[in-house]
Amino acid sequence: MAGASKNARRTFTTHKFFCLCGGEISMKTVFDNGRLKNLAECSKCKRTERRPKDFN
């Protein structure tokens, strides 16, 4: 049984990350190609990256 790790299951955030366009970045879990992927997505420009630090 494939499941998300303990750290990935947490729903609250301790930091708020912001994109260069000024939108807030939220984490999304996507089931793609038989695997769960965690993606960071900007709420304003809909840009997706692997993690929030990659937006800088």
Side-chain angles (χ1 to χ4, degrees), residues 17 19 23-28 39-52 55:
F17 292 97
C19 183
E24 188 176 340
I25 297 170
S26 62
M27 293 298 292
K28 307 232 179 208
L39 294 175
E41 184 180 35
C42 175
S43 61
K44 193 173 182 183
C45 65
K46 302 298 182 197
R47 180 176 153 198
T48 58
E49 295 288 342
R50 195 172 139 238
R51 56 184 179 234
F55 282 90

Side-chain angles (χ1 to χ4, degrees), residues 1 3-4 6-7 11 13 17 21 23 27 29-31 33 35 37-39 42-43 50-53 55:
M1 181 175 129
K6 281 191 242 176
N7 292 332
T11 57
T13 59
F17 292 97
C21 71
M27 293 298 292
T29 303
V30 179
F31 188 74
N33 201 15
R35 296 180 181 197
K37 286 184 167 183
N38 292 318
L39 294 175
C42 175
S43 61
R50 195 172 139 238
R51 56 184 179 234
K53 283 197 300 189
F55 282 90

